[in-house]
Amino acid sequence: MRTAGARLRTHLRRREWGLLAAAMLTLVIWLSAPGILDRMNFPIQDAGLRLLARPAHPDIVLVAIDNPSLQAVGRWPWRRALHAELLARISEQSPRAVGLDVIFQEPDADYPGDDVLLAQALRAAGRVVLPVVLHPQAQGGHFELPLQRYVRSASYLGHVAVNVDADGLTRSLYLLNGPAEAPWPHLSWALRCAEGADLPACRLPSASPGVIDSAEWTKDALRIIPFAAGAQPFPTYSYVDVLKGQVPTDAFRDKYVLVGATATGLGDLFAVPVSPLGRRVPGVEMLGHVLNGELQGIRIQPAPAAWNTLLCVMPVAAALLAVLLLGPSAALLTTAGLFVTTILISLFSPLVTGWQPAPAAALIGLLLAYPLWSWRRLSAAAQFLRLEMQSLRTDGLQTAGSPGPGVRMGVVEASGDFLDRRINAVDLATQQLRELHEFVSDSLHQLPSPIFVCDAFGTITLANAAALRYAATLTRAHPLGQNIGNLLHTLRHVDTGEPLLPASHARWVQPPPQQEGRDDQGRTLLTMCKAFTTSEAGTSSGWLITLVDLTDLHLAIQQRDQALHFISHDIRSPNASILTMLEMQREYPDLISHDELLTRIERYARSSLGMAESFVSLASAQAQTYRFESLDLAALVAEAVDDAWAAAQERRVQIALALEVDCALCQGDRSLIGRALANVLGNAIKFSPEAASVVCTLSDRAPYWSVAVRDSGPGIPLALQGRLFQPFQRLHNDSHPSIGGIGLGLALAHTVVQRHGGRIDLWSEVDRGTEFRLLFPQPSSPPSAQHRDK
């Protein structure tokens, strides 16, 4: 059944999606423009270049002007006769072409004849290419050419300029760069021209001035450099070794020979994305990488703007459709799959298509699409649920139940996305809740006892607030729809131990109207079962089950019995002894002396008074409101030890105080903490043998202050330790009947520490002594309200 609210929400959802899609696609189109997200695109593009890297072409050889050559020949610049000799040595092996990446801008003033020798060597070699370089003091359209004598002698000229990106790395170059009327090819193309390849850019050098200035400048044929694999991808021979003839006789035969500087401080060094360990690549090796790509037919260029925009828009549009049509999990997986697919396409596109895309805009769109749409849907759901819950509170209905008699039934429409169907289900359930008749009323929810309404098979269809709170202590799952026997499976009969309610899903038979049971948390509950209207066949259409917590009542009865026993026996016994002694004194006045009589009467009276005070103190510690104030626990412990000194001396026990901190500030009731410390110290003194020691230690055990009292007494058996802090428990009656006490001192100490938000830890071994550790919270963790005001 589709409500008017559901139709309105569907319309609003589609409108919000349309606005979000338009905004997201517009953002992606703008971000996909060149130059906007270059720094985000570089890591992915560099990864693609590393995947594309192949072993170097075997026909490329480098001759390096390296550090050993500088050591052998001398510092740079060298005589040009050496370069002429080098070309002669290389030409003897008939190379395909030679690229001499050395700048010859000015005549050799010291050895003018060397210029003639080098020009003759260039003409003799026949396939030598010289570099055209960008003027270091200029920008744009200014190129430097070699000396005209060398230009006329060289086979071809080629530029060696590369592009340095915003992050300082070199990834691309223009194969044509120079004046618009006749741009220079890159040196790698010039080598192919010198070899005899038929390329459109090949042209013969002509006499030109040393520096070309042109108002119109062109840069064409942008290429991504396909770097060869390996740290030293190209065979390299030292310049001096070539001069000495210390290279293989076929080292340069049918090879492209590139001569350039690699020595430290000599020549250009470029940072590249594929260099291992950040090694900078010399300019002559960069020429080798570009030539390697040409020889292997690897031609990579940036993807056309339209193609790149389409690549970015398509996955984002698909993700937007996924969040509209699929459920949350499926939409998330689809978006993640599109994210990974976009990266893979970007990595392998250069290998397959020769285009290098810039996918950062698409990745940003994919990262934003799902969270933004989820935020809008969750906002809509939260707004709807808030309004519905407000309406429910207004109607006085705070729990959900199955439809009762007279309630219109409906089926949630399957259209819309996952969250939309959930909202429609809540909308429909809300309408059904408003049509429930009188048995769902405020009085049911205000009852303090848990009440469950079940159908004939024991399935919970309604629960009041107290029942929900009780169910939350048993399981995290909501009780509605569960079997009442499964939910209350820990509630067992106090006598037989059998479950009180059947866990079967079969129709119930009449259970006992009242049963008393105990759950695994020690609570005693009275279970009352009342059947709804019964059919002619004697079966019930449902059950009303009420749980009455009798735990406090049983505890009060137990405490009453203990108090009565205490009053009738423990307190009565010393008073009866006093009366007996007085009667004996009247009958036999000479039996004991007057002073001894008074001493005994005083001892019995003090015993009775002490028991009464202990009883009253325990009752006060359990019931009264504590007066919390800031106090120094170290000073309070010292006072308690001083007060216990007399009792320790009477029993010939040594008492020692160890304060590991000078000040231990905390919040507490001074008198009750002092009484608790006195009880623990007195207990330790009582059970310590003569000449033994009792040690009281105050230490910092964040977030608690720890007061440890250790004695050398008989210890407490493990089986009895669980009863140690219960009132009126005298665990030493059998082992040490001579030691007095009524079993209230430790109970008071336990109550006081708990009411302060702390706890008491116990260590004890038989015949090795006992240690009580009273842990009081430090000011950073003050006691909660329930400890303060309970």
Side-chain angles (χ1 to χ4, degrees):
M1 183 173 63
R2 185 176 175 88
T3 64
R7 290 191 293 271
L8 176 61
R9 284 190 297 274
T10 299
H11 173 72
L12 292 177
R13 175 176 60 86
R14 291 174 178 171
R15 187 178 68 177
E16 279 197 19
W17 180 87
L19 293 175
L20 177 64
M24 287 292 300
L25 294 178
T26 301
L27 175 65
V28 170
I29 292 173
W30 176 68
L31 292 177
S32 64
I36 295 181
L37 297 177
D38 283 348
R39 287 184 177 271
M40 296 184 64
N41 286 308
F42 286 155
I44 301 175
Q45 294 172 342
D46 293 346
L49 290 179
R50 286 189 286 271
L51 289 175
L52 188 64
R54 302 177 184 175
H57 196 281
D59 292 343
I60 301 175
V61 178
L62 305 185
V63 175
I65 304 174
D66 52 9
N67 291 325
S69 299
L70 289 177
Q71 293 175 359
V73 178
R75 64 181 182 179
W76 191 265
W78 296 339
R79 291 187 57 178
R80 295 177 181 176
L82 292 176
H83 301 311
E85 178 65 20
L86 179 78
L87 287 176
R89 295 278 187 175
I90 294 175
S91 299
E92 290 175 356
Q93 297 188 15
S94 302
R96 290 189 179 182
V98 178
L100 186 58
D101 187 19
V102 180
I103 302 172
F104 303 106
Q105 301 174 355
E106 299 175 356
D108 191 339
D110 295 329
Y111 302 97
D114 286 2
D115 288 335
V116 177
L117 291 177
L118 181 56
Q120 291 174 351
L122 291 172
R123 286 193 297 271
R127 296 180 180 180
V128 180
V129 178
L130 295 180
V132 179
V133 298
L134 184 65
H135 194 281
Q137 301 299 327
Q139 296 292 334
H142 298 276
F143 271 79
E144 291 183 357
L145 297 179
L147 293 175
Q148 292 304 305
R149 175 178 294 174
Y150 298 150
V151 170
R152 290 190 295 269
S153 300
S155 176
Y156 278 89
L157 300 181
H159 78 84
V160 292
V162 293
N163 302 330
V164 179
D165 293 323
D167 59 352
L169 299 184
T170 299
R171 300 178 176 86
S172 62
L173 79 161
Y174 290 96
L175 292 176
L176 291 176
N177 203 336
E181 62 276 8
W184 302 104
H186 187 261
L187 193 138
S188 61
W189 270 13
L191 285 170
R192 299 291 309 282
C193 293
E195 177 197 4
D198 185 15
L199 298 178
C202 295
R203 65 185 181 87
L204 292 174
S206 58
S208 301
V211 177
I212 296 178
D213 295 318
S214 174
E216 294 186 8
W217 206 260
T218 184
K219 294 181 180 180
D220 196 8
L222 178 62
R223 292 290 187 272
I224 307 300
I225 301 174
F227 294 94
Q232 297 288 341
F234 306 106
T236 303
Y237 299 100
S238 178
Y239 189 104
V240 68
D241 290 341
V242 178
L243 287 179
K244 294 179 180 180
Q246 297 176 354
V247 296
T249 57
D250 59 347
F252 308 123
R253 190 174 304 280
D254 294 328
K255 304 293 177 62
Y256 295 93
V257 182
L258 296 171
V259 181
T262 62
T264 304
L266 188 63
D268 296 328
L269 293 175
F270 299 94
V272 299
V274 299
S275 179
L277 303 178
R279 184 181 74 91
R280 291 182 174 270
V281 175
V284 65
E285 185 176 327
M286 288 292 293
L287 296 175
H289 285 294
V290 179
L291 179 59
N292 175 71
E294 290 295 321
L295 295 179
Q296 295 191 3
I298 304 175
R299 294 174 176 82
I300 305 173
Q301 56 186 347
W307 190 90
N308 193 74
T309 300
L310 183 63
L311 174 67
C312 293
V313 167
M314 288 181 61
V316 176
L320 290 170
L321 288 174
V323 298
L324 176 67
L325 302 177
L326 304 179
S329 298
L332 179 61
L333 292 175
T334 301
T335 304
L338 290 170
F339 189 91
V340 174
T341 301
T342 302
I343 294 178
L344 293 177
I345 291 175
S346 302
L347 292 177
F348 292 101
S349 176
L351 180 63
V352 177
T353 66
W355 287 346
Q356 185 184 67
L363 300 181
I364 291 176
L366 291 172
L367 289 175
L368 292 177
Y370 186 85
L372 288 177
W373 181 245
S374 298
W375 163 63
R376 290 307 309 147
R377 299 308 299 147
L378 290 176
S379 297
Q383 175 71 3
F384 169 77
L385 294 177
R386 185 185 67 82
L387 294 176
E388 288 303 308
M389 294 306 298
Q390 182 179 357
S391 176
L392 290 176
R393 286 193 295 270
T394 302
D395 294 342
L397 299 175
Q398 299 178 4
T399 58
S402 65
V407 179
R408 291 185 293 112
M409 300 295 293
V411 178
V412 179
E413 186 175 355
S415 63
D417 64 7
F418 177 86
L419 186 57
D420 198 56
R421 293 194 295 271
R422 288 287 185 262
I423 294 176
N424 292 339
V426 175
D427 186 21
L428 183 59
T430 303
Q431 293 186 15
Q432 295 173 350
L433 283 173
R434 291 179 181 144
E435 296 171 358
L436 289 176
H437 48 72
E438 294 181 357
F439 78 89
V440 181
S441 63
D442 290 339
S443 59
L444 177 65
H445 297 284
Q446 297 301 326
L447 291 176
S449 298
I451 298 177
F452 296 93
V453 177
C454 304
D455 61 14
F457 300 94
T459 302
I460 300 173
T461 58
L462 184 63
N464 71 343
L468 294 176
R469 290 193 297 271
Y470 178 71
T473 65
L474 304 176
T475 177
R476 293 185 178 182
H478 198 280
L480 296 183
Q482 293 193 52
N483 184 274
I484 186 68
N486 291 332
L487 179 66
L488 305 180
H489 70 280
T490 61
L491 188 59
R492 298 180 177 272
H493 200 282
V494 292
D495 296 328
T496 64
E498 296 294 328
L500 292 185
L501 300 174
S504 171
H505 291 278
R507 182 179 293 273
W508 277 17
V509 297
Q510 176 68 45
Q514 292 187 1
Q515 300 180 88
E516 189 171 320
R518 185 175 291 109
D519 61 14
D520 59 355
Q521 301 181 24
R523 292 173 292 196
T524 302
L525 301 172
L526 177 64
T527 304
M528 298 184 294
C529 299
K530 177 66 176 177
F532 291 144
T533 54
T534 306
S535 64
E536 296 180 357
T539 57
S540 173
S541 61
W543 300 91
L544 182 68
I545 299 176
T546 305
L547 304 179
V548 180
D549 193 345
L550 304 179
T551 305
D552 292 340
L553 177 61
H554 283 202
L555 180 60
I557 294 174
Q558 181 183 2
Q559 292 177 345
R560 182 201 63 184
D561 294 341
Q562 290 175 342
L564 290 175
H565 179 271
F566 171 71
I567 294 172
S568 63
H569 181 268
D570 295 82
I571 292 184
R572 184 172 177 270
S573 178
N575 295 329
S577 298
I578 293 173
L579 293 175
T580 301
M581 293 188 65
L582 291 174
E583 290 176 1
M584 290 177 60
Q585 182 66 17
R586 293 190 188 97
E587 295 292 334
Y588 309 99
D590 299 329
L591 184 62
I592 58 175
S593 66
H594 182 71
D595 292 339
E596 184 179 356
L597 175 65
L598 293 178
T599 301
R600 291 187 180 184
I601 290 176
E602 181 183 7
R603 184 169 68 251
Y604 288 132
R606 289 185 181 279
S607 175
S608 178
L609 180 61
M611 287 187 288
E613 288 181 348
S614 297
F615 181 77
V616 172
S617 297
L618 177 61
S620 299
Q622 292 175 338
Q624 76 176 20
T625 300
Y626 285 18
R627 295 188 297 274
F628 282 89
E629 59 180 296
S630 180
L631 54 87
D632 183 3
L633 192 59
L636 203 57
V637 171
E639 292 175 6
V641 172
D642 291 342
D643 293 341
W645 183 84
Q649 292 300 311
E650 182 180 350
R651 292 191 54 84
R652 300 179 182 178
V653 173
Q654 298 294 325
I655 184 168
L657 175 62
L659 297 178
E660 297 182 4
V661 293
D662 296 331
C663 181
L665 295 179
C666 69
Q667 293 287 323
D669 190 307
R670 180 181 297 274
S671 63
L672 287 175
I673 292 180
R675 186 62 182 267
L677 295 174
N679 286 355
V680 177
L681 284 168
N683 194 71
I685 293 171
K686 284 195 304 182
F687 285 93
S688 293
E690 290 187 3
S693 296
V694 173
V695 180
C696 181
T697 305
L698 174 63
S699 59
D700 184 356
R701 298 292 184 267
Y704 296 99
W705 298 116
S706 173
V707 181
V709 178
R710 180 159 188 163
D711 61 45
S712 303
I716 304 169
L718 183 62
L720 300 179
Q721 293 180 11
R723 299 162 47 197
L724 189 61
F725 300 112
Q726 298 178 9
F728 309 107
Q729 297 294 322
R730 302 181 69 227
L731 307 182
H732 57 277
N733 278 346
D734 297 333
S735 59
H736 299 79
S738 61
I739 299 178
I742 58 173
L744 294 179
L746 292 180
L748 181 140
H750 185 259
T751 299
V752 169
V753 174
Q754 278 195 329
R755 290 286 299 275
H756 281 80
R759 69 176 190 273
I760 296 182
D761 293 341
L762 169 66
W763 172 88
S764 183
E765 290 187 14
V766 177
D767 298 330
R768 295 189 61 186
T770 302
E771 179 176 299
F772 291 93
R773 290 183 291 274
L774 284 67
L775 302 178
F776 294 93
Q778 297 179 1
S780 59
S781 55
S784 61
Q786 63 177 351
H787 294 304
R788 290 175 178 264
D789 303 325
K790 181 177 179 182

